[in-house]
Amino acid sequence: MSTNYKSISVASHHQTESLSTVQKLSLALLSLGGLMQLIYWFGGLTEAPSLWLWPSLLLGAVGTAWYGYDQYQNKIPGVKNNGIWFKSLTSRGSVAWMLGIILTGFYIILYWFPQYLGLGNKETGNTGLIRLFDPLSQMITGHDASQWFVYGALYTFIIFFLGLKFIWKYRYNKYQVLRTISIMFFQTIIAFLLPSVLESFSLPFNDFKNIWPLNYYFFFDWHIDELLASGNFGIFVLFWGILSFLVLTPILTYFYGKRWYCSWVCGCGGLAETAGDPFRQLSDKSLKAWKIERWMIHSILVFVFLMTALVLYTRFTGQANFLFLNSGAVSNLYGFLIGSAFSGVIGVGFYPLMGSRVWCRFGCPMAAYLGLLQKTKSKFRITTNGGQCISCGNCSTYCEMGIDVKAYAQRGQDIVRSSCVGCGICSAVCPRGVLRLENAGNDIDKRAKETRAMFGDFE
Amino acid sequence: MKVIIIGNGIAGSNAARYIRKLGDHEIFMVSGESEYPFSRTALMYIYMGHVQFNGTKLYEDFFWQKNRITLLKKWVSKIDYTSKSVIFDDGSSLPYDKLIIATGSKPNKFGWPGQDLKGVQGLYTLLDLESMEQATQMGVDHAVIVGGGLIGVEMAEMFHSRNIPVTFLVREKKFWDMVLPADEAHMVSEHILKHGIDLRLESEIAEIIDDGNGSVAGVITKAGEHIKCNFVGLTVGVSPNITFLKESGIEINRGILVDEYLSTNIPDVYAIGDCAEIRMPKPGRKAIEAVWYTGRMMGQSVAQTICGKPTAYDPGLWFNSAKFFDIEYQVYGEIIATRQEITQTFYWQHPELEKSIRIDFKKDSKQVIGFNLMGIRFRQEVCHHWIKNGTTINDVMQNLALANFDPEFYDEYEEQIVAAYNKECGEQIKHQGKRNLSLVNRLLSKI
């Protein structure tokens, strides 16, 4: 074993780890793939997109997977958080700041200026980045790409390949592995491929796991009209949408907590858990942030209910206004403020600055609904293990939802919090085996109130 | 009533918190180390870049003000028991009605030549961490760590996280084998080696060498070997941090002597945590137990006494935990002390992974007395329940999964373990337990 020691003794004593050859090579492949897409985009190219698209995707995929594999391959199983607070990218340094600006800018272009991505019309056709994805879109949907197709494709690509990296990082933790496979499945098959295939059969685009109120346009006039015009399939989607909100969600949340959705199924959660994993420690753990969170997320829940009620009122009465509220204006406002600005621009753009779950924590009305169910009617809690907590703060630090897990653990109190998405990372990083996510109905009210960590006697 | 607490570690902080819970007394907590109480056990995670200092604070800053606990960042130079006041090194003083001394430990130094050189230090306080960070910034090419205890292995992991090569000198045959049974000590020793640490067992230092400018240049072992290094970590245990109290009239042996109410020989003066030495420890327990958990319990206990509810300190069943690089360790009850004559041990180790379970039980009655876990998490409440109720090893084996606290979907070893037990002890137990919290709750609510 002393050979290991020698190989380390030549390493630099500086805090920054130097890159291995494999890491350099894999990052080079990834960068080349990205560069190809940028050239095609900013060059405003229109020719031979296949010759650019496939190699760029291949380079990106191989580069990302290889990098992720190499990063954790020869490591002994365990927590891999060394230097998180020293690296610029993961501690709000200059790299993080720049990345935040670039991501935010990308979302602004995506939502409001898709022409800069190269979105054309039927006559002119697409150029640039959107043109680049035409071959893939043609293959799956049978027509040219839109900005949403490009976004969906990149989104899925990122969840899939950074998901592989995440699995490799946590490959000794089966909860993390299974959860991530589930996320990758739902994003790739249910959110990306299935809706695209539906489109190719001239059926309405539908992501079956995107449940109202996260899917805020579900009850919009145009959407209901589209469903009603699609025969049995449309009726099924309508039925499924209502059923999943009213029946499926409360039942699954009762048994498993909101995690069944937020960290096993949801696409926003999926991106947060994979691409967002390096930023989970940046969430604000203060009591003040928790107060703001409760006000914001519940206000948005009220907003979405109100807006939907207005829209349905207009549909059934034909009146555009209820009192002074115009349903069209209110739904437009919601779409702009919450659907686009909050969930996309801030939700993902601010990953490197505010952590990966800003949207899920402060904005998502589905999370609010699930959270109310979790808080009041669920078997799910995080159990704390007697008096073993040493208050080290790893759990709170790596809670992407900003829950001060330690505050509960150090007094031996089971954790029932509406915001907990059940990602299980607190349990994974705890050095003393104090936290376990579990479900049981028989005592939850009692154990979430009691504090059991003090004297050696627990009974 | 005015209560002063000297020391803001877990013992002092918990005392403050409970005194406030129990009454309306004026509370002052003094520390020269840090403005706000933090988790000492988390120091390593700050150095490794896992957490920030703020994340290790026991509570958010507003907590102390809200609970009207005044924090004073000062060093105490002496205590005047006759005028009942604490005197600070800036000359100011503060009177008390009740005084709690919770000054913790300091790293041991055994008089080695060169032990006070620059670059030679232990790791106990925030100031120790700062000087370790400073040394690292200046450039540590090679660190030698002396002493195979919990802080030693933490320090090794810390340097390892910064790619600094470590030579780890341990006096014992295997790492921490004065506490861990041989199998577990062997497993941990191998694990340390696997991380590339140059672990030297049965090795001690003779002296620390000066580079000519008052800094460390290397060490010489008792075997005569010269190891070049520019940092030496001294982690050969800790002892009560009470130098400023010597000859002050308070009774001291190794620590401040206290009775079961944690009172010292001086009226209205109490001592808790690492610095307290219990005159009549409970059977099987040590007079000084420098661990987090007992410090925390003493804080709670003394708070009751001070607030008019005299409470004898009862640490309950022994438990502890640690982490050796990536191997988590938990212990509940007695594992080593009374081995062999009247107790028997059952040990199971995973065929490939660094995971093991040891259960000690009485030879005659078969009642379990202790659980020792490596790489597998067990529920404290269930283990305590079994030990306190004199549950037999056969019953424990039958329901073993109830104790498991590993995350969901982890591999279940209960069947294998029970099969191994049956083979070793000639029993025919069929495992019936499930890793199910509802069943656990049912067990715990049974009297």
Side-chain angles (χ1 to χ4, degrees), chain B residues 56-105:
Chain B
T56 71
K57 287 180 182 168
L58 297 180
Y59 301 96
E60 269 189 76
D61 294 348
F62 72 80
F63 174 90
W64 304 104
Q65 206 186 357
K66 189 182 140 214
N67 286 289
R68 289 171 292 120
I69 296 166
T70 309
L71 303 177
L72 300 174
K73 191 170 184 297
K74 285 169 184 274
W75 293 106
V76 172
S77 56
K78 66 177 188 198
I79 302 163
D80 184 339
Y81 305 116
T82 40
S83 70
K84 291 181 98 173
S85 66
V86 171
I87 294 139
F88 303 105
D89 67 350
D90 58 9
S92 61
S93 67
L94 194 65
Y96 65 82
D97 297 304
K98 302 270 184 192
L99 177 70
I100 302 174
I101 304 171
T103 49
S105 297

Side-chain angles (χ1 to χ4, degrees), chain B residues 34 54 71 83 147 154 165 181 185 195 234 261 297 301 319 346 357 390 446:
Chain B
S34 68
N54 266 339
L71 303 177
S83 70
E154 282 181 5
H195 275 279
L234 295 180
Y261 295 98
M297 288 186 244
S301 194
F319 70 97
F346 168 71
I357 289 177
K446 259 191 264 168

Side-chain angles (χ1 to χ4, degrees), chain A residues 1-2 4-6 8-18 76-86 91-92 172-176 178-179 256 259 264 281 284-288 379-381 383-398 404 406-407 409-411 414 424 426-444 446-447 450-459, chain B residues 10 14 17-18 21 39 41-42 45-52 54-60 62 133 136-142 154 160-167 190-191 193-198 200 292-293 296-297 300-301 304 311-317 319-323 326 328-332 354 377-381 384-386 388-389 404-411 435-439 441-442 444:
Chain A
M1 280 299 158
S2 56
N4 273 354
Y5 159 67
K6 272 178 201 146
I8 286 172
S9 68
V10 295
S12 112
H13 59 249
H14 296 297
Q15 288 164 21
T16 48
E17 256 175 88
S18 49
I76 293 166
V79 178
K80 300 281 170 275
N81 288 335
N82 284 348
I84 294 275
W85 286 106
F86 304 145
S91 64
R92 294 193 195 99
Y172 303 97
N173 186 323
K174 279 209 176 148
Y175 182 77
Q176 299 304 332
L178 291 174
R179 187 170 73 75
Y256 306 112
R259 55 184 172 153
W264 284 71
Q281 67 282 358
D284 188 336
K285 315 303 190 288
S286 68
L287 192 65
K288 201 171 140 201
K379 291 164 162 249
F380 171 74
R381 89 290 297 276
T383 314
T384 55
N385 196 5
Q388 286 283 26
C389 177
I390 54 166
S391 306
C392 71
N394 272 292
C395 52
S396 300
T397 298
Y398 291 95
D404 190 0
K406 174 174 81 172
Q410 68 188 0
R411 56 177 189 242
D414 284 6
C426 57
S427 162
V429 298
C430 173
R432 294 294 194 271
V434 175
L435 300 160
R436 187 174 198 261
L437 280 58
E438 44 194 344
N439 318 301
N442 51 3
D443 70 325
I444 189 153
K446 192 166 133 265
R447 284 181 60 109
E450 272 177 354
T451 57
R452 303 183 306 280
M454 289 306 157
F455 281 122
D457 277 332
F458 300 98
E459 294 155 51
Chain B
I10 185 62
N14 219 28
R17 181 179 155 228
Y18 273 90
K21 268 193 168 198
S39 168
T41 47
Y45 297 112
I46 300 172
Y47 181 90
M48 289 163 68
H50 292 205
V51 299
Q52 291 178 305
N54 266 339
T56 71
K57 287 180 182 168
L58 297 180
Y59 301 96
E60 269 189 76
F62 72 80
E133 179 65 49
T136 310
Q137 298 293 340
M138 305 281 289
V140 174
D141 301 317
H142 192 130
E154 282 181 5
H160 184 66
S161 78
R162 303 266 189 113
N163 300 322
I164 295 168
V166 173
T167 298
E190 291 296 307
H191 183 73
L193 286 166
K194 215 156 92 180
H195 275 279
I197 303 299
D198 177 24
R200 315 259 185 108
W292 174 266
Y293 306 113
R296 194 174 63 193
M297 288 186 244
Q300 187 182 359
S301 194
Q304 314 266 342
T311 304
Y313 167 63
D314 176 9
L317 276 173
F319 70 97
N320 200 4
S321 71
K323 197 173 180 191
D326 298 309
E328 286 175 22
Y329 155 73
Q330 294 179 331
V331 60
Y332 302 109
E354 288 153 326
R377 297 172 174 180
F378 262 28
R379 291 179 200 268
Q380 183 171 17
E381 287 162 287
H384 275 220
H385 177 89
W386 281 338
K388 285 190 65 173
N389 291 289
N404 188 281
F405 200 67
D406 281 344
E408 294 159 297
F409 304 116
Y410 267 41
D411 286 342
R435 296 185 180 181
N436 179 307
L437 179 59
S438 295
L439 296 178
N441 288 333
R442 220 163 288 161
L444 293 177

Side-chain angles (χ1 to χ4, degrees), chain B residues 146-164:
Chain B
V146 183
L150 298 181
I151 299 177
V153 72
E154 282 181 5
M155 229 186 203
E157 188 177 352
M158 289 160 81
F159 282 123
H160 184 66
S161 78
R162 303 266 189 113
N163 300 322
I164 295 168

